[in-house]
Amino acid sequence: MELKEKPIGIIGAGNFGKAIANLVAKNRDVLIYTRKPEKAKVINETHEIDGVLLAPNVIATTDIEEITSRCMTIFPIIPSRRFRQMMRDIAPFLTPSHFIIHGTKGFALNNISEEDLEHIPIYRKHINLMSEVIRQESSVVRIGCLSGPNLAKEILAGKPAGTLVASLYQEVLNESKTVLSSDQFRVFTSDDIVGTELAGALKNIIAILSGILGGRDLGRNIQALVITKGLAEMIAFGKRMGAESKSFMGTAGIGDLIVTAMSPDSRNYRFGFRLGRGESLAEINNTNTELVEGLRTLIIVYHLSRNEKIHLPMIQILYRVIYGNFSIEDAMKFLMAYPYDEDVNFLD
């Protein structure tokens, strides 16, 4: 069977996984993997799950080997903390002919644990992007990254959107356009996979800070300032990690940053908004059913930037607000008085 005739695999049946499944289903049959048998049963019997209507050609499975044997193009869309183990689980069934285009926003840890982040110096060698994990854990060569701006709720509602797919391989970019493009969805492409992955991860941190300002009702002016300076910090971090500055100025950078840092449909923004309204971290975590990927990213970037001597004042102060004893009011005073020498100094 030719590549164009095979179904497309989706690993992860969260909101974004379901959104991508419905987009792909406009062009190809879809096989979506979930760990939960009851969830797969409901999808296959009703084509509806968690209030979301799925296309009739989206079929669910709990057999990860079925995904790799039937699908040559696979979109893993799962939380970053589970990504490496997922790759280890499917690696025995993958071949160099598979295409893997991940949609995970965050970092994987390399030979350290989550607990180590607080206790030992963390450097670049301890942190991996998802594309690096795919290469480390499998024989797959043709790797891509699906970025944004893609609010799952809007995509599922049928609203128009676009995305950036990055890869070093033209075959991956062509396949992404073939399976995702429709009158609802536009696909842009890039060869800077490092910058695309970093932009997708880092914008979640800035969204939390913007949400705090929204919760405090401090106005759009200060939110715009934080987003702008946040972009500069994203670029500073990205350049040290090997990304090109221009990648942060396009669809996956400023585009995804704006929507994530301004929309109440963004889970990272909503988390920050609740903090701004006065709820504690424990209160939010005890009642929140959504994964806030930006929190884990914040912890990693905070420790990595300190050890690698990367100057990120906003990100470092946000960490102290959430995990230290710094008040939101003191943080605002600090940021308003911080001596930024130039307005734009990150494109040099």
Side-chain angles (χ1 to χ4, degrees):
M1 184 182 292
E2 294 184 10
L3 184 66
K4 64 182 180 180
E5 298 173 341
K6 288 181 175 288
I8 301 300
I10 310 285
I11 298 178
N15 281 340
F16 192 40
K18 288 178 283 195
I20 296 303
N22 271 354
L23 287 173
V24 172
K26 295 174 182 287
N27 300 306
R28 300 267 281 277
D29 290 339
V30 175
L31 190 61
I32 188 168
Y33 171 82
T34 174
R35 296 178 299 168
K36 301 176 180 179
E38 65 277 9
K39 197 170 191 176
K41 184 173 186 291
V42 171
I43 290 173
N44 290 334
E45 291 180 352
T46 70
H47 288 285
E48 184 174 353
I49 189 73
D50 303 325
V52 174
L53 187 65
L54 295 175
N57 59 331
V58 176
I59 304 301
T61 180
T62 57
D63 183 356
I64 197 70
E65 187 175 357
E66 183 181 7
I67 290 278
T68 56
S69 63
R70 293 184 57 196
C71 308
M72 295 310 296
T73 299
I74 301 171
F75 289 84
I77 305 174
I78 66 169
S80 61
R81 70 171 66 245
R82 294 204 340 248
F83 197 91
R84 188 179 296 279
Q85 186 57 55
M86 179 275 299
M87 284 304 306
R88 288 174 176 170
D89 291 341
I90 68 172
F93 314 114
L94 293 171
T95 69
S97 58
H98 279 94
F99 289 36
I100 293 192
I101 307 164
H102 78 83
T104 296
K105 311 288 175 59
F107 299 100
L109 301 179
N110 185 22
N111 295 321
I112 60 171
S113 67
E114 301 282 337
E115 294 74 22
D116 289 335
L117 293 170
E118 301 286 345
H119 303 295
I120 67 172
I122 306 301
Y123 297 97
R124 174 65 174 94
K125 65 182 181 180
H126 297 114
I127 309 300
N128 287 135
L129 302 171
M130 301 305 136
S131 61
E132 295 170 340
V133 175
I134 296 169
R135 284 193 294 270
Q136 290 168 355
E137 302 293 346
S138 76
S139 61
V140 175
V141 176
R142 286 172 287 190
I143 300 166
C145 169
L146 171 68
S147 187
N150 296 152
L151 293 176
K153 184 177 180 181
E154 291 189 4
I155 293 173
L156 289 168
K159 295 181 179 180
T163 196
L164 182 84
V165 175
S167 178
L168 296 175
Y169 295 88
Q170 189 61 45
E171 308 100 297
V172 174
L173 302 179
N174 293 342
E175 174 75 348
S176 300
K177 285 187 172 184
T178 298
V179 303
L180 287 169
S181 296
S182 69
D183 56 1
Q184 178 194 350
F185 204 68
R186 174 77 183 271
V187 178
F188 300 90
T189 61
S190 169
D191 62 1
D192 183 14
I193 191 169
V194 172
T196 300
E197 289 182 277
L198 287 170
L202 297 171
K203 52 87 179 177
N204 286 331
I205 300 176
I206 308 306
I208 293 174
L209 181 53
S210 178
I212 290 174
L213 302 178
R216 276 289 198 271
D217 196 24
L218 294 176
R220 298 298 190 194
N221 288 329
I222 189 64
Q223 281 181 302
L225 182 62
V226 161
I227 290 171
T228 304
K229 297 306 178 187
L231 176 64
E233 295 194 9
M234 289 168 58
I235 292 173
F237 187 84
K239 288 167 73 173
R240 289 287 293 275
M241 297 279 282
E244 300 176 29
S245 297
K246 67 178 184 179
S247 297
F248 295 87
M249 304 306 294
T251 305
I254 189 65
D256 202 4
L257 174 61
I258 289 171
V259 71
T260 307
M262 294 294 287
S263 173
D265 288 333
S266 158
R267 62 186 65 184
N268 291 279
Y269 180 90
R270 284 198 301 271
F271 174 86
F273 190 90
R274 292 179 66 179
L275 277 178
R277 285 296 172 106
E279 294 185 64
S280 69
L281 178 62
E283 288 172 330
I284 299 173
N285 285 339
N286 288 337
T287 58
N288 197 2
T289 59
E290 302 175 308
L291 174 71
V292 182
E293 192 73 73
L295 278 179
R296 182 171 181 271
T297 305
L298 173 63
I299 295 171
I300 292 172
V301 171
Y302 172 79
H303 289 290
L304 184 60
S305 65
R306 291 185 69 199
N307 294 322
E308 295 279 6
K309 303 294 188 293
I310 309 172
H311 191 55
L312 308 175
M314 286 206 314
I315 290 175
Q316 289 164 358
I317 206 70
L318 176 62
Y319 179 90
R320 293 174 64 187
V321 167
I322 297 177
Y323 295 106
N325 56 3
F326 219 66
S327 70
I328 294 174
E329 289 73 22
D330 287 341
M332 287 308 305
K333 291 176 183 177
F334 174 87
L335 293 175
M336 289 299 292
Y338 192 83
Y340 290 102
D341 294 329
E342 296 179 61
D343 183 28
V344 179
N345 61 357
F346 49 79
L347 296 180
D348 299 333

